[in-house]
Amino acid sequence: MTPRPKPPREYDENPPLDADFFARARPAAPGEAARLRAVLERIVKAHEEGLSVDDAIAQARETLTGVE
C-alpha cells in the first residue's frame, strides 16, 4: 500500500452532524450500496491475502467517482 499524504491541519475528519451536514446528505442511488460493498470487500480480501491493495483501492476510487 502506498502511503497517503497527511490532510491539511485544518481538515476535520469528524465534522459535526449539524443541519449543514444533513443539507448535503442524499439517499443512496439504486445499487450504490451494493457497488460500494463489493469494492470494500475486494480491498479487505486483498489485505487478508497479503496482496497489494493498490489495485482494489483504484477500483474503489473509480466506483466512488462513478456514483457521485
Side-chain angles (χ1 to χ4, degrees):
M1 184 167 16
T2 56
R4 292 176 40 194
K6 291 189 178 209
R9 184 177 297 255
E10 64 276 359
Y11 178 76
D12 183 5
E13 63 184 44
N14 293 309
L17 301 180
D18 56 9
D20 183 49
F21 174 84
F22 288 104
R24 294 186 319 257
R26 61 171 177 73
E32 182 177 11
R35 288 191 302 272
L36 296 175
R37 187 178 309 109
V39 295
L40 181 57
E41 287 172 352
R42 285 195 292 267
I43 293 170
V44 171
K45 183 178 179 188
H47 176 73
E48 288 174 344
E49 294 176 356
L51 303 173
S52 171
V53 296
D54 290 341
D55 290 337
I57 291 173
Q59 290 174 349
R61 282 192 181 113
E62 291 174 13
T63 300
L64 289 169
T65 302
V67 297
E68 289 182 348

